[in-house]
Every structure is written in C-alpha cells, then in structure tokens.
Amino acid sequence: MAGGVVTLEQAKSGRSTCRASGEPIAKGDWRVGFETWISGRVAMAWMKPLPFLEGCCRVEYALSAGGSQGTCKATGHKFVKGEPRFVLTAGDPQKKCYLSLPAAGAELVPVIKQVGSAAWAPTRCTGLADLAEPDRRTFFKAFGVSQAEAASFDQQHPAPERPAVGKPTPAAKAAAAAAAGSKGRAAKRARVAQASDSSSDSEEDAEHAENAEPAEEQQEQPPQKKKAGAAQQGGGLTEMERQRLELIKRNRERMMALNLPGMAAELLPAAPAKQQQPAKHKGVSRKRLSEVLPRRESSRLRGIAADGSMIHAERQGEITVVAGEVIRRYASGAMSEEQEPQDRHPQGEVQFESSNASAESDEAFIHLLAHAASAANSGVQDSDASSSPGGQAGSKAAAKRKGARGSGGSGSAAAVAVASGGMGAAELTRLQLAEDDVAKVTKEATTHLAFHPTTDTLIVACADKKGNLSLWHVNEGSYELPAAARRAEPILRRAAAQQEQQEQQGEGDSEEETQDGKPAATSAAAVSLDASAGKAARPGSRASSEEEQDAAGPFDGVLLLQPQHYQYVSGLRWAGGSGRGAALFTASYDGSLRRLDVERGVSDAVVSSEEDEYSCMDVTGDGRTALLGDNEGTLRLVDVRAPLASSSLGPGLAVHAKKINTLHFEPVQEQVFATASTDTTIKLWDMRALSSSKGAALKPLATGGHPQACQAAMFAPDGSRRLISTSFDNTCRVWDGAAGMQQLLAIKHDNQTGRWVLPFRACWNAAGDGIIVGNMNRFVDILDASSGALAGQLSSPFMTAIPSRNAVHPRLPVLAAATNSGRIHIYR
C-alpha cells in the first residue's frame, strides 16, 4: 500500500533501519513508514510493521495546554480540546503526526492485516482503555473490531467519562494541588488504598480508597494473601475484587471529570533545565606555554629616522621597496614589522621538541617511541608492559606473532596483522568510548592519523590542516619503560640557548654537568610518562616557572611538536624497520616530505620543493621508497635513502588530469599502488614500470571511477587487492583490483560533508571484512564488506562532532575517530 499518510511496501534495498527497534530491514521485507521531520528536513521514517504497531501507535484525547491541538494529516481537520486523536510516532516522541480515528483506521488496517490478527489486534492499542464509551464505538468501527471483541474489552476495561475541558472550579484546583503533594502523603494514600482492598465492607475504608491514586489502586494483592476458598463469581472475580474494580472506575471518572491529571501537571513546578556538564579537557589547550615576546614599537617611537625608501609593489604576502628588496613577508594575514622572510617550510633537521610540555616529557616520549619501534621490530612483548592497558590488549596477539614474523619483506606487515587476529567487523561494533579516551590532539581539523604498530602501548600520530603534528600516548599514567629499555645516554640534544642560560645561572658546577662543561639532559634511567611528568622541570626549561607549570598542568600524554610543516599535512605514515615503526613520514602542501627518526630524535627533510604542492603521499613498509602526488595530477617517485641534495624530483609523470587525492600501496604486494583523483578516476599502477618509464607515457594496470570526484581509494589489508573508494556521488564502492577493477559493490552513503567538514575517506578494518566511514549524524558507520549492509554504528555522548577521518589499529581491537575540532576518540 503506497500513498496517503502511511506507506506499506516491501523494502527496495537493505539499507534502511527500523526506527522503532533499531534492527536493519532486509531487502524484500515489509516495512511501514510516514513522512516526518528528520535531521532538519522532511524524510520518510521506516519501521517494521509489528514494532510500529506495538510501540509507535496510541490513541489519546487532545488536551494540550496551548490553544492548538494539532491537525489530522490525512483530512486536514483541526482537533478541538477534548477530542480523541490517533498519534503516530517514529521511535522518538518528538517525531509524530496526528490522525482522526476514522482516518487512522483507513491507514492502518492494511498494516494490521499484513501483521496478522494473532500477532496484534486493534484492542491492544495503547490508550484505548482511557477512551469514553462513544469514542470507543468510533474506534471499533474504524478498525473493524467485532462486537464480541468489543464487549470483551469493555468488560475488562470499564469505560470512563470524557475529560472535562471547561474552566476548573476552585474545588478542582484544590484537588489537583492535593494530587501533587509530597512523597510522604502519596505513601500514606497508598497504605490507605491497601487497607481498603483488605476490608471492602467498611464505608470509611471505601471513602479513603476513593481518594487514592488510580495507579496505586490497580496493584494486585500478593498471591499469598488471597483466600484459597473464596467463592468465584461470574468472570472469575471474587466479590472483593469486583468491588475494588468499581472503586477504580469511580475514581477514574471523578479524575477525568475534574481534569486532575492536566491541572496537576500545570501546578507542579517546572523541572529545572538540565545543565550540560562541561566537556573534560585533555590534550592541546589554547593556554599553553609560549615565549614572551618584546612589545612591538614603531621606528618613530624607537628614535630611528626614516630611510626615504618608497614602496614599489605590494603583493600577497610581501612588500617590495624601490630597490627590489623584500622588507616584509607574512602569512595568514598576520603582518609584523621587520620580520625575517619566512621559508615555505622548515629547512634541514628539526629537533624533536614539544610546544606544550617540559623537556623531561619530551625525553620520556622519545624513549617511549624508540622502545616501541624496537618492540615492533622484534615482535616480542615486554613482560613489564603487560601492566598497561595496551599491554593487556596485545599480550595474546604477541604469542601469535612469533610464528607469523617475516624477514622484513614487503608482505610481512600484512602477514602479522592477519596472523594476530585482526579486528573483525562484528568485534568492531562492540567497541565503547570512555570519557578519558577523548583528547584534543591537534590544533585544527585532523587530516591524518595512524597508530604505531606496537602492541606494548597505544600511540597515535595525528596531523592537521595547518601543518601541526602531534603524538598521543593514550595509556599515559600507566606505562614506565622497562629497565632493559632505558638508555644510559639521553636521545635529545639540548638547545644552545638553554645551555647558555643554565651556564649563566651557575649550573656548571651541578651534578648534571658533563666532562666538557655542557649540561646533560635528563637521565634515561628516570624516564617515565606518569601524570606527574612535566611538574619537575629544571630552571631554564620550558616549564620552569610556577605560573607556566600551572598553565601546562600535569602531562596528559599529548605532545604537540614544534612545527614540522607550514601548510595542510597531506600524508602521514609509520614505516621503516621490520616492525614498520622506526620512523614517521609526513608530507604537506608546503612542498616538503619529512621523516621523524625516533632513534635519533630528529626530523629530517627528505624532499624540499619551492614549486610543488603535494596533495598525497605513501611510503613502502620498509621506509625506503615514497610516492608523492600533487594538485595537478603529477606523480613523483622518491628514494628516501638519497641525500636531500639529490632529491630534485624533476618534472614527474602526469597520471591524472586533476589533483591526486590519495596514494596507497597494496599491503602485501607493494609494487602495486592505487591513485584516486578529483578527475573521478581510480587507477592501478606497477611501481616497477614507473621507475623504468624515464618520462615516457605510463599506462595503468586498470582503471575504474565514479561519476563525480573520488576522494579516496584504499586497499584491503588481506592482500586480496580489493579497494574501497569514496566519492561525492554519495557512494562508497568496492572494486576487485585483481580482476581489472571490476566493481563488486556500490554502497549508498551520504558523503556531502560541505565546506566545514573534511571529506569522508572510507577505510578497512584489520581483518578486511568491514568498511569504516564517518556519518553526518556523528556516528562511525561499520559496513559489511561482502554485502554493503550496515553492520553497526559507533556513537557516544563524548563524541559531539562528525568523525570525518578514522583509523584502526593493525593488531589491537582499537579504533580512533577524528573530528574537525582536532579531538581524537579512542573506541576500545
């Protein structure tokens, strides 16, 4: 049945979910729905027929406090106060529509026939027992209830009087005030009602029972108090039970005549508005340690005479004088006088140093990363790390990894993930989010995030659209380096300015001074990442003053590193070493590719270009070869081992007509990679042909695509060469790369994120049987990779924004969801 207000049909696909029960509606199953306001627009709310009739249909009297009582959606009739009306809801009391009783019968009788009278009868409708006699007759006629069923219902539920809708009398107001009394008075009336049940012959008890509340009078006597030898009357009721039903009927009639429920609700004090608890802040804050800069003064105030130079030209970002000298260069509209010309990106080596924590925290964190890389490379679980939550989660996987370790070849990482029992789609749907597992890790919208592959502890790297790079040790406060992992010498080098400052403060004679008179960093033997780290910073460090310590607070596991890039970070990946965690590679639109070496505590510049704008990046698992794509569709192959001086990439290869959005190596056979572009195409390539092309035209292995721009294409981790792609055509599609990019699935999904949310990028779970993608309703959708059906959704009151980017740990049952606020949510 289609048309009218209520639509009954067989589901045309398997993508809808019952709003009454939350169960998915399979293709071909019967579903019922009506249009209502959903997510800011009018949409069809679908439900299964039986849950719809049982939980979403009721009949009531129009007794709204305001003047309007609603309108019948089928006939346009406006209800008057005291008139019966039928209410349809869509699983939410706020999403409803009204129908008159005859219209409701015409709309719902086909639904009742489809369900069957044995499963649901009209006499089971919620609120029918509260209808008066004439309104019941109208309901029975509209729904085709037989006379026998109607008589049986009336016998079990005596009909009350219609509610009074006139102006209440003073006596009625007083009765309503009494009904809204304290809990003690209500309890006393309940005791009186129980006394009336046990002594029905007493007129005084009957008078008190008449004043008792109906809900209390309907309580049945315990079976042990019933008299076994009581004489049974007609209908199986004793004399006492029949008198009790008469008292209930009389009380209900009085209350409805006086409109006591409505007046009691009006007299009760309004419930205080629920104050939303402020979100617990963790991670990067606006109030962080910052360098105190001198007050800005003009040359005139400083007594410097004008040199007579004239401005020749003023372009975006710089001002040029007559002689051609650039005297001022600035970015993002922030202009300062006599500022040094800013490079396009950081040059050379950048020391591992945070901008929101102390030197002790930095040293502890780089030791943690070095130990994590060593643990990932060896594949052996440290016994001391089992005390941490991350260690507990990975202890079982460690035993399985011993037999699955490869020799460091291209397929070893994927083999480890599969052998360790990667998280399946069913397990993914059961993950939960704790309040302490939410932190603001990046300053701006998170563009990329990736878990370190170790299972000893939980570390996630994140980057944002302003070039910031952050690291989060999720299990902070519960991890301390094992004794065998503590190095005798520190990893980080102290900055020269700090050394000079300490020498000026007379620390040259302290115990921390080395043989050559230069102060050493924190002893590695004392390295730990507990909640008190960062409070004991020495004088001269970034958290030396009490005010700065209070501003920073205790270390919470989040390190915001010194700027690694100056623009949008377009790629991020852990790679290098047999465990794929020795270095962190990042690329940016600022024309740079950098490698953070955790063993040395230094970020190296691998590629530095003044012309290119890199829009995507990927690195082989061994960390030796990188691919860069730019916003003009050009692809470049980089030998990471080559020195920066020889990293001039030349013109590159034009492989797409527009920007390349993603690059991704096949996890098992890394000579194959995929590119996804704004020109709507997805292409597979062989890196061996790319390295031998020498500027010649390169032909892809296979090509697929969408009708609109493709934002991402990612290989499955199981070596099957399946890809999941995401497009603005509102689909996520699964392709078989081993069969010439044959399309396996086209999953309908809302990908219209708009200008304020980063475009969705669907990814795979570790087992390769599920697809993970953000949802505009602040969910994380888990899709079945074989059918495309919705397997489940992850949501939490602690995740209050749209998770546009997601990542799954390759070995542990952990998922990270990132939002445009820079907050990371760890489901586990």
Side-chain angles (χ1 to χ4, degrees):
M1 180 197 75
V5 176
V6 179
T7 300
L8 177 65
E9 65 177 23
Q10 289 179 296
K12 301 175 182 177
S13 67
R15 296 191 298 270
S16 59
T17 303
C18 177
R19 288 185 169 269
S21 63
E23 300 175 354
I25 303 176
K27 183 178 180 179
D29 289 352
W30 286 96
R31 63 182 182 181
V32 59
F34 62 92
E35 289 186 343
T36 185
W37 194 261
I38 301 176
S39 299
R41 60 189 179 90
V42 177
M44 184 69 74
W46 293 111
M47 290 155 283
K48 291 186 174 181
L50 184 57
F52 168 71
L53 294 172
E54 290 179 340
C56 301
C57 298
R58 73 174 188 271
V59 62
E60 66 181 16
Y61 284 108
L63 295 173
S64 301
S68 176
Q69 304 298 324
T71 304
C72 175
K73 196 168 184 179
T75 63
H77 167 70
K78 294 185 177 180
F79 295 106
V80 297
K81 196 168 186 178
E83 185 178 1
R85 62 187 180 188
F86 201 91
V87 185
L88 305 178
T89 62
D92 184 349
Q94 303 300 324
K95 297 177 175 60
K96 60 185 176 182
C97 72
Y98 299 127
L99 294 172
S100 63
L101 297 186
E107 296 282 347
L108 297 183
V109 164
V111 182
I112 298 173
K113 289 182 179 179
Q114 176 61 38
V115 171
S117 58
W120 194 85
T123 53
R124 294 175 56 183
C125 182
T126 303
L128 181 59
D130 295 330
L131 291 186
E133 182 67 24
D135 300 323
R136 285 189 182 184
R137 302 281 78 79
T138 304
F139 179 90
F140 293 152
K141 181 179 179 181
F143 283 84
V145 179
S146 64
Q147 293 183 357
E149 292 177 334
S152 176
F153 183 84
D154 290 338
Q155 183 179 3
Q156 297 179 12
H157 305 278
E161 296 292 334
R162 270 193 174 184
V165 296
K167 186 176 181 180
T169 62
K173 292 183 178 180
S182 63
K183 293 183 179 180
R185 295 168 58 190
K188 182 177 180 180
R189 288 197 300 271
R191 291 193 297 270
V192 174
Q194 293 178 0
S196 67
D197 292 341
S198 60
S199 180
S200 59
D201 297 335
S202 173
E203 295 181 358
E204 181 179 358
D205 290 345
E207 181 65 23
H208 284 292
E210 291 179 359
N211 296 328
E213 295 181 3
E216 298 167 345
E217 294 170 341
Q218 294 182 36
Q219 296 176 355
E220 294 183 0
Q221 292 180 339
Q224 61 271 22
K225 290 187 178 181
K226 292 185 178 180
K227 297 180 180 180
Q232 298 296 320
Q233 305 294 332
L237 298 177
T238 64
E239 179 65 20
M240 181 179 65
E241 291 172 339
R242 188 163 48 255
Q243 291 181 8
R244 179 171 176 268
L245 290 177
E246 292 176 359
L247 290 175
I248 293 174
K249 177 181 177 182
R250 191 186 313 168
N251 286 340
R252 182 184 291 114
E253 291 174 355
R254 289 186 178 183
M255 293 181 66
M256 298 302 290
L258 296 174
N259 193 20
L260 290 183
M263 289 189 296
E266 295 176 358
L267 292 175
L268 283 174
K274 185 177 180 180
Q275 295 182 356
Q276 186 176 3
Q277 295 294 332
K280 180 180 178 180
H281 185 82
K282 185 177 182 180
V284 180
S285 173
R286 294 180 181 178
K287 295 181 179 180
R288 284 295 185 184
L289 306 181
S290 60
E291 181 183 358
V292 179
L293 299 177
R295 180 180 178 182
R296 289 174 53 190
E297 294 181 346
S298 66
S299 299
R300 179 180 61 83
L301 294 178
R302 286 181 289 173
I304 300 176
D307 57 6
S309 300
M310 298 175 59
I311 294 178
H312 175 70
E314 183 173 356
R315 297 181 298 174
Q316 182 178 3
E318 60 186 35
I319 297 176
T320 308
V321 297
V322 174
E325 178 187 1
V326 177
I327 63 170
R328 184 180 301 154
R329 180 176 291 156
Y330 53 94
S332 304
M335 183 172 61
S336 61
E337 293 185 8
E338 299 184 2
Q339 182 177 346
E340 290 293 331
Q342 182 179 357
D343 294 323
R344 190 170 180 230
H345 47 253
Q347 302 292 330
E349 291 186 351
V350 176
Q351 178 73 21
F352 182 93
E353 185 179 11
S354 69
S355 60
N356 68 322
S358 68
E360 283 72 16
S361 296
D362 294 349
E363 186 70 40
F365 212 113
I366 198 64
H367 276 261
L368 171 67
L369 290 176
H371 173 62
S374 176
N377 292 342
S378 64
V380 178
Q381 185 88 355
D382 271 296
S383 59
D384 292 347
S386 62
S387 61
S388 69
Q392 293 174 0
S395 58
K396 295 181 180 179
K400 298 181 180 180
R401 289 202 310 275
K402 291 180 180 179
R405 284 167 44 203
S407 60
S410 61
S412 62
V416 168
V418 175
S420 64
M423 182 170 51
E427 186 181 7
L428 200 65
T429 60
R430 296 192 293 268
L431 300 182
Q432 301 291 329
L433 177 64
E435 184 179 8
D436 198 50
D437 286 341
V438 181
K440 182 172 175 59
V441 183
T442 58
K443 285 186 174 182
E444 304 291 337
T446 304
T447 59
H448 289 273
L449 67 164
F451 283 105
H452 193 281
T454 183
T455 58
D456 285 357
T457 188
L458 210 54
I459 305 170
V460 61
C462 305
D464 66 17
K465 63 181 182 180
K466 290 296 181 66
N468 298 304
L469 179 62
S470 299
L471 298 168
W472 181 17
H473 176 223
V474 182
N475 295 329
E476 89 286 347
S478 59
Y479 183 91
E480 188 168 350
L481 290 178
R486 298 172 182 170
R487 304 188 181 187
E489 297 295 332
I491 297 178
L492 301 183
R493 301 191 303 268
R494 299 300 299 273
Q498 294 181 4
Q499 294 177 6
E500 294 177 0
Q501 185 177 6
Q502 290 183 354
E503 290 175 356
Q504 292 175 2
Q505 293 177 355
E507 292 188 356
D509 298 331
S510 66
E511 296 180 357
E512 295 179 352
E513 191 171 277
T514 60
Q515 296 295 332
D516 57 359
K518 294 182 179 180
T522 307
S523 173
V527 166
S528 65
L529 283 174
D530 57 18
S532 62
K535 289 184 178 180
R538 294 185 307 277
S541 67
R542 290 188 304 279
S544 59
S545 68
E546 295 181 0
E547 293 79 3
E548 290 176 339
Q549 291 181 32
D550 294 339
F555 181 68
D556 54 15
V558 177
L559 278 189
L560 175 64
L561 298 183
Q562 295 289 1
Q564 308 289 304
H565 301 278
Y566 293 156
Q567 294 183 31
Y568 186 107
V569 176
S570 56
L572 180 147
R573 181 173 178 181
W574 293 99
S578 61
R580 308 316 197 217
L584 179 62
F585 290 83
T586 56
S588 171
Y589 275 80
D590 64 8
S592 64
L593 170 66
R594 302 194 68 87
R595 173 186 55 198
L596 174 61
D597 189 337
V598 301
E599 295 288 341
R600 298 190 300 122
V602 172
S603 173
D604 299 315
V606 179
V607 173
S608 176
S609 172
E610 295 297 328
E611 302 294 336
D612 298 327
E613 294 183 348
Y614 300 130
S615 56
C616 57
M617 176 273 291
D618 200 8
V619 183
T620 55
D622 56 14
R624 299 177 180 178
T625 305
L627 283 174
L628 293 170
D630 63 20
N631 60 355
E632 295 181 356
T634 304
L635 190 65
R636 289 174 172 84
L637 181 65
V638 180
D639 185 355
V640 177
R641 296 167 294 179
L644 180 63
S646 62
S647 296
S648 178
L649 305 182
L653 295 172
V655 296
H656 285 280
K658 295 183 180 179
K659 181 178 73 171
I660 305 176
N661 290 313
T662 60
L663 277 163
H664 194 220
F665 283 108
E666 212 285 330
V668 176
Q669 299 175 341
E670 289 190 317
Q671 70 272 14
V672 178
F673 64 93
T675 57
S677 172
T678 304
D679 66 5
T680 74
T681 61
I682 306 168
K683 297 181 180 181
L684 296 188
W685 308 90
D686 192 324
M687 189 168 61
R688 294 169 296 187
L690 179 66
S691 59
S692 61
S693 62
K694 297 181 180 180
L698 186 65
K699 293 184 179 180
L701 298 177
T703 302
H706 290 258
Q708 297 186 34
C710 182
Q711 286 299 315
M714 302 294 177
F715 278 108
D718 56 3
S720 62
R721 284 203 186 182
R722 292 174 300 156
L723 292 107
I724 178 65
S725 61
T726 314
S727 171
F728 280 132
D729 66 359
N730 285 338
T731 62
C732 295
R733 306 193 183 199
V734 180
W735 309 84
D736 188 353
M741 289 298 289
Q742 177 185 355
Q743 181 175 305
L744 302 178
L745 284 175
I747 307 169
K748 195 73 174 177
H749 190 271
D750 182 9
N751 297 327
Q752 302 300 320
T753 54
R755 62 177 296 187
W756 303 114
V757 179
L758 291 176
F760 291 149
R761 289 184 176 179
C763 60
W764 297 86
N765 66 330
D769 63 345
I771 298 167
I772 302 160
V773 63
N775 187 298
M776 293 298 291
N777 292 324
R778 300 192 296 276
F779 298 143
V780 177
D781 287 344
I782 313 298
L783 307 175
D784 187 277
S786 59
S787 64
L790 182 66
Q793 290 180 322
L794 300 180
S795 62
S796 171
F798 305 125
M799 186 170 69
T800 58
I802 299 171
S804 55
R805 301 293 164 88
N806 304 279
V808 178
H809 197 285
R811 302 175 185 177
L812 302 179
V814 180
L815 180 145
T819 64
N820 266 41
S821 64
R823 281 181 169 80
I824 308 299
H825 309 76
I826 305 296
Y827 287 85
R828 51 180 171 172

